[in-house]
Amino acid sequence: MDGFQERLKLSLQWRLSWWLTVAMLLVAALAAAVSYLTALDEANEMQDQTLRQIGALYGAGRLPVVGAIQFVGDDEAPVMILGLRRTPAGGLAALPDGMHRATMNGVACRVLLRTVSPGLRLAVGQAIAFRDEIANHSALRTLLPLLLLIPLLPLLVVLLVRRLFLPVATLAHEADQRSERELQALAPDFLPLELRPFVVAINRLLARVEKSMDQQRRFVADAAHELRSPLTALSLQAEALAATALPLEATTRVEALHLGIERSRVLLDQMLALARAQTVLPRTAAAVPVLDIFRRVLEDLMPLAEARQIDIGVEATDDPRVVGDAVDLLMLVKNLADNAIRYSPAGGKVDLCTHADGGQVIIEVCDRGPGIAPEQRERVFDPFFRVLGSEQSGSGLGLSIVAEIARRMGATVRLDWTDAAQRQGLRVSVVFQV
C-alpha cells in the first residue's frame, strides 16, 4: 500500500490513470443506476399496458361471473380477472377507475379497475411479486453489457495512458542512449503539443552547453598551439646551451631543463590530439589496412624503443581492415604503443597484434610492464589521471585520447593482464565492428 501511495504521489502517469479510472467508474455507476431505474420503470409500464389491453378485451358480453376470479396467462405469472358490482362498501368496488395497489385473492397485486356498464365493473390484477421479478430481470439484462465493461475500464485506462506517454518514454530512451559528447537537438515532432515547449527548452540548453564546450576545446587547442613555438625556441636554446662548455653543475641543470621542456612539448602535443579527437568534424571514412598503421607507428616510435632497449614487433596472420579515418586510427595505435614503450622495463618487449574474429577486427598492444589493477581500469581513461606509484613521467592523456577516438569510431576498449597468472603487463584490446 505504501508503494502504491508513493507511486501515486510521484508518477504523473499513475495519477492520471488513477483519477481517470475513478471518474470513469463513478460515471459508469451513475449510468448503471439511471439505466436500471429507467428499464425498471419501462418494464412496469409495459406490464401496466398489458393489464389495460386485457381489460379492453373484456366487455359486458365477456364479463366473468361476478365474484368469481378467472385466471389467464401462464402459471408463473397469471393475470386475475374479477367481475364486480359497484357498491359503496369497502374493498375493490369502492376504488375509482384506474391503476391501484390492492389485494386480490389474498395476494398483493397491481390492479386495473374499469367500469364496463352501469353497475358493473372489471378488475384485472397481477401479483406484485411476479411483476417485480419480471421487471428486475428485464432491467438487469439491460445492465449486463455495462457490468461486463466496468472491470475492463481500469485496464483500458492504463493501456491508453501508457500509450499516450509512450513518446515521452521513447524520447527519454533516446536521450539516455547518447554519450556526453552527443549534444545535438532532440526531435520534438512526434511529441504532443503540450510537451514540445519543454523539449524546445532542453534543445536550447543543449545548444548552449555545446557552444560552451566548443569554446573550451578551442581555447585548449589554441593555447597548446600558441605555446608550441615558444617551447620549440626554448628547446633549441637549451640544446645550444648544452653544446657549449659549461661547468658540471650547469650541465646537469641544462639537461634537467631540456627534459622539462621536452615533457611540456609532449603534453602540448597530446592536448592538441585530445582536442582534435573531441572536435565534432567530418572524418573521411575508408577501409584502412591495420598493418600499414602498424608500420607507420613503428617508424615513428622506433627511436624511443631503441633508446629504452625495448623489443617492439608485430604479430599478425592476416591484414584486416578497419573502416574509419586513417589519422584517427594512427593516433589511437600510436598512443597505445607509446604508453607500452614508456611503461615497459628496460630490455622489455612490446607486441602489436591484430586479427579478425567473425564480424570484428581486434587490435591489441601488449607490454611487460606493471599493468593496471582492475579497480583502476575505469579511471585511467580520465584526462590527467595517472596510476599511483608509476615512475615514468607523463601527462595522463594517452588513454583518454584512445577512449575518445574509440568512441568516435564505434569501438570498445578493454584492459587486461598480459600475463594473468603473474598479474603482470598490460594488454589493451580495441574491438572494431565491421
Side-chain angles (χ1 to χ4, degrees), residues 365-369 416-421 423-428:
V365 178
C366 307
D367 62 48
R368 304 302 187 272
D416 201 356
W417 302 107
T418 300
D419 186 349
R423 295 173 66 88
Q424 290 182 350
L426 179 64
R427 179 190 302 272
V428 183

Side-chain angles (χ1 to χ4, degrees), residues 29-210:
L30 180 61
V34 172
S35 176
Y36 176 80
L37 294 176
T38 302
L40 188 65
D41 184 68
E42 290 180 354
N44 286 324
E45 182 61 30
M46 289 181 64
Q47 292 183 92
D48 288 347
Q49 187 64 26
T50 300
L51 295 181
R52 293 189 186 94
Q53 291 174 354
I54 292 174
L57 293 175
Y58 283 83
R62 301 185 59 186
L63 188 66
V65 178
V66 175
I69 295 178
Q70 178 180 344
F71 295 92
V72 298
D74 55 33
D75 295 335
E76 294 183 357
V79 176
M80 294 176 284
I81 302 174
L82 176 63
L84 301 171
R85 293 188 182 277
R86 182 177 291 274
T87 172
L92 289 175
L95 296 174
D97 288 356
M99 290 290 183
H100 303 278
R101 294 177 66 93
T103 300
M104 289 184 65
N105 198 28
V107 179
C109 297
R110 178 74 167 172
V111 180
L112 169 67
L113 292 175
R114 178 170 177 263
T115 301
V116 178
S117 61
L120 292 177
R121 305 184 72 195
L122 178 68
V124 182
Q126 189 176 32
I128 291 177
F130 291 121
R131 286 169 55 90
D132 290 345
E133 182 180 357
I134 294 173
N136 283 325
H137 286 172
S138 177
L140 289 175
R141 280 195 296 270
T142 63
L143 289 182
L144 185 59
L146 187 57
L147 294 177
L148 293 176
L149 181 61
I150 286 178
L152 298 178
L153 288 178
L155 178 61
L156 182 63
V157 168
V158 170
L159 292 177
L160 288 176
V161 171
R162 182 172 296 180
R163 178 70 179 177
L164 291 174
F165 277 83
L166 187 59
V168 179
T170 302
L171 183 66
H173 179 73
E174 177 190 346
D176 189 55
Q177 293 301 309
R178 293 185 179 185
S179 69
E180 66 278 6
R181 304 294 180 186
E182 296 176 314
L183 298 176
Q184 62 269 26
L186 300 171
D189 297 337
F190 61 93
L191 290 175
L193 292 176
E194 293 78 6
L195 293 177
R196 290 187 184 181
F198 180 67
V199 178
V200 170
I202 292 179
N203 287 338
R204 291 173 181 168
L205 176 61
L206 290 175
R208 292 194 295 269
V209 171
E210 184 176 19

Side-chain angles (χ1 to χ4, degrees), residues 209-230:
V209 171
E210 184 176 19
K211 182 178 179 181
S212 176
M213 293 182 65
D214 286 340
Q215 290 175 345
Q216 292 180 5
R217 284 193 290 264
R218 283 197 301 269
F219 173 78
V220 172
D222 293 342
H225 187 271
E226 291 298 324
L227 288 172
R228 292 182 72 180
S229 298

Side-chain angles (χ1 to χ4, degrees), residues 322 332 361 402-403 405-413 430-433:
V322 172
L332 183 147
V361 172
V402 170
I405 295 175
R407 182 198 62 80
R408 179 185 293 279
M409 300 183 70
T412 304
V413 182
V430 186
V431 182
F432 297 88
Q433 304 295 329

